[in-house]
Amino acid sequence: MAVDYTVIVVYLAGMLAMGWWGMRRARSKSEFLVAGRRLGPWMYSGTMAAIVLGGASTIGGVGLGYTHGLSGAWMVFTIGLGLLALSVFFSARIARLKVYTVSEMLDLRYGGRAGVLSGVVMWAYTLMLAVTSTIAYATIFDVLFDLNRTLAIVIGGSIVVAYSTLGGMWSITLTDMVQFVVKTVGVLLLLLPIAVVKAGGFGEMRDELPDDYFEPLGVGGQTIFTYVLIYTFGMLIGQDIWQRVFTARSDKVARWGGTVAGTYCLVYALAGAVIGTAAKVMYPKLPSADAAFATIVKDELPVGVRGLVLAAALAAVMSTSSGALIACATVANNDIWARARGAAARRGAPGGHGEHGEHGEHGEHEEVDEMDEMDEVKGNRLFILVMGVLVIGVSIVLNDVVEALTVAYNLLVGGLLVPILGGLLWRRGTAAGALCAVVVGGLSVVGLMWHYGILANEPVYYGLLASLAVYVAVSLGTPPTDAVTLAAWRERLAGRGPDPSAPEASAHA
């Protein structure tokens, strides 16, 4: 295993080195949180594919293939469909808004009254997403180094927190590009063909396994429908995904780069299912389906290749973990802490201009703006560090990853899907309708999970319907959004509004 260990150690050291390099580029809030909004199509496609294809898509996708055969691809397939829908129908408009968070978009659309509550829901979602990704380190490091669960989580989580804190989105972008290449080589170009050959080829696989392993809908229609609701729609509204859209250099990059990434996800989905099906032929009696990935890597791959494929698994987990972490910290700082601090400042100094009210005056020196930018970077860096420590702590004490992730996605889709898509698609939607949809949808999901069970399908079905009904009814029963707010919203959607990334815009915000 010495060669495999060397591959892994070099990979992890490279992640930290890129974090240090990214720190030198992250000199402003825009650079730190959204990579200066200047990623081209190649880097944008790679980083977007990296963040959506995490440990669940890799280890879990192979496990679903082990259990259900080729139809096990549907979970990751619906993630790809969601990314395609986001890229084709919404990404250009989202990129033109020039915001940092989903809640800022809601404030723009509804007049500044929908962001706080949605920020809390989004924070809970991104926190649980980061936690579930971090827990996956335990599985991989156990295979690699035979470490106990807590130490594996601390080591893996600390590396991600370190490079994310150092350089923010620039570090994460650089590491994600490497992770994208490692995943492509390790999973698609090495593990996939080796697994099929070791299983005797597709002919042998068909002879050894039941016919339903090769049925496209073998996993079940209701399961596929639930995947669409949770993952396809979740891709449309998650802060971790939107924050990557904000990094695009232009709306065209966001649309076409995202389309390439979504197509890549569809290929990755099928590859995982085929690998899992091959593992079923070779190891028909594994105690757990999720052990299929680690078992086939450990037992069937040659030295060196095994290290690279395990690095690919680490890459999958790290890309999702770092993306969720910076999203969690961004929401906590910009949507919760900054609003609470701003409210306190307004109460303490009525009629004042706020913290930065004078910094945008034309007579101020450029040094003042630069100092403000560095303070913003330091504040966001501190929040990533604090949220990272929290994620590691929760990951150590939490056991059931599937339940935690289900709660996160149910709250996200049940509480935020309707007001977000309603704001983008329906002019008559109002702030009161959005707030009621968040509250009713979120509470319905929580109550239904308590009644039916966390893993049941009904909570997200009925919670989403309740959110939609309340949004429409309350919006139609309340006065329309005022013309000034809608006019400003249309200007931003068209890309003609002020860029809040600019120092002058942030000074007057």
Side-chain angles (χ1 to χ4, degrees):
M1 292 287 288
V3 175
D4 297 322
Y5 290 161
T6 302
V7 171
I8 298 298
V9 170
V10 168
Y11 166 75
L12 294 176
M15 296 300 99
L16 291 174
M18 289 186 181
W20 184 263
W21 189 85
M23 181 176 67
R24 301 173 61 185
R25 300 197 63 170
R27 299 294 185 183
S28 68
K29 179 180 179 180
S30 175
E31 296 280 353
F32 192 82
L33 294 182
V34 290
R37 306 186 195 275
R38 54 185 183 182
L39 295 192
W42 165 238
M43 291 195 74
Y44 179 85
S45 298
T47 57
M48 182 63 87
I51 188 177
V52 300
L53 296 173
S57 300
T58 304
I59 299 171
V62 171
L64 286 170
Y66 184 87
T67 303
H68 301 287
L70 298 186
S71 67
W74 272 105
M75 185 190 78
V76 184
F77 202 82
T78 55
I79 290 174
L81 291 178
L83 186 52
L84 285 171
L86 174 71
S87 302
V88 172
F89 299 112
F90 300 108
S91 63
R93 282 183 282 181
I94 292 170
R96 288 195 293 263
L97 288 174
K98 302 292 185 184
V99 295
Y100 291 105
T101 68
V102 174
S103 296
E104 288 180 36
M105 167 264 166
L106 291 173
D107 277 351
L108 281 171
R109 170 60 181 81
Y110 295 113
R113 288 170 289 174
V116 177
L117 186 58
S118 65
V120 172
V121 175
M122 190 64 77
W123 175 80
Y125 157 73
T126 53
L127 178 71
M128 284 297 100
L129 186 62
V131 164
T132 54
S133 300
T134 303
I135 290 174
Y137 296 128
T139 301
I140 300 169
F141 278 99
D142 178 57
V143 175
L144 285 172
F145 306 117
D146 196 25
L147 295 178
N148 70 64
R149 180 179 183 276
T150 298
L151 185 58
I153 289 172
V154 171
I155 292 175
S158 297
I159 292 171
V160 170
V161 172
Y163 73 69
S164 300
T165 301
L166 285 172
M169 188 59 83
W170 265 123
S171 294
I172 293 171
T173 296
L174 295 170
T175 55
D176 276 1
M177 277 306 300
V178 175
Q179 289 158 356
F180 170 73
V181 173
V182 170
K183 277 192 287 193
T184 301
V185 174
V187 175
L188 296 185
L189 302 184
L190 292 177
L191 183 58
L192 175 61
I194 290 174
V196 172
V197 170
K198 291 283 187 177
F202 285 104
E204 182 70 18
M205 290 163 61
R206 290 195 68 96
D207 292 339
E208 291 289 329
L209 297 174
D211 289 341
D212 59 3
Y213 264 69
F214 302 92
E215 292 290 334
L217 305 179
V219 71
Q222 187 179 26
T223 299
I224 295 171
F225 182 67
T226 303
Y227 285 159
V228 170
L229 279 185
I230 293 177
Y231 297 114
T232 301
F233 287 123
M235 287 295 106
L236 299 180
I237 59 175
Q239 170 67 25
D240 52 323
I241 308 303
W242 277 42
Q243 199 156 342
R244 293 310 173 95
V245 175
F246 301 150
T247 66
R249 186 169 60 204
S250 66
D251 53 3
K252 290 183 179 179
V253 169
R255 181 185 293 113
W256 294 111
T259 301
V260 171
T263 305
Y264 178 90
C265 291
L266 303 184
V267 175
Y268 200 88
L270 185 58
V274 171
I275 293 168
T277 305
K280 184 67 174 179
V281 174
M282 291 182 280
Y283 309 99
K285 302 295 184 181
L286 286 178
S288 167
D290 285 341
F293 180 89
T295 302
I296 196 171
V297 169
K298 191 173 184 179
D299 294 349
E300 302 297 336
L301 299 186
V303 173
V305 173
R306 180 171 50 205
L308 183 58
V309 173
L310 285 172
L314 267 178
V317 176
M318 284 184 163
S319 57
T320 300
S321 181
S322 59
L325 176 59
I326 193 172
C328 179
T330 303
V331 171
N333 189 12
N334 290 268
D335 294 337
I336 300 175
W337 171 247
R339 293 169 192 267
R341 187 179 59 180
R346 286 193 296 273
R347 286 194 300 269
H353 296 290
E355 287 185 64
H356 304 292
E358 298 177 0
H359 289 171
E361 297 296 327
H362 295 295
E364 287 289 343
H365 296 293
E366 291 181 3
E367 288 82 358
V368 176
D369 288 332
E370 187 174 341
M371 289 175 61
D372 286 344
E373 288 286 354
M374 291 308 298
D375 287 342
E376 290 267 23
V377 171
K378 290 178 182 177
N380 282 290
R381 184 173 282 135
L382 176 62
F383 265 86
I384 290 180
L385 180 61
V386 172
M387 290 299 109
V389 172
L390 177 61
V391 165
I392 292 173
V394 174
S395 301
I396 291 172
V397 301
L398 194 66
N399 289 318
D400 199 320
V401 181
V402 175
E403 289 194 356
L405 193 60
T406 301
V407 170
Y409 268 102
N410 281 353
L411 283 172
L412 176 71
V413 174
L416 294 181
L417 178 67
V418 169
I420 291 172
L421 292 189
L424 288 170
L425 299 174
W426 192 39
R427 180 177 178 178
R428 187 60 180 81
T430 66
L435 286 171
C436 289
V438 173
V439 173
V440 171
L443 291 179
S444 296
V445 164
V446 172
L448 290 165
M449 283 191 293
W450 178 81
H451 178 71
Y452 287 103
I454 290 177
L455 299 180
N457 294 326
E458 287 84 358
V460 71
Y461 294 169
Y462 301 142
L464 192 56
L465 288 174
S467 179
L468 177 61
V470 168
Y471 179 72
V472 173
V474 174
S475 292
L476 292 177
T478 52
T481 305
D482 66 88
V484 174
T485 298
L486 284 178
W489 167 252
R490 286 195 295 270
E491 287 292 301
R492 290 290 283 271
L493 276 181
R496 294 191 294 267
D499 182 356
S501 303
E504 294 82 2
S506 61
H508 291 289

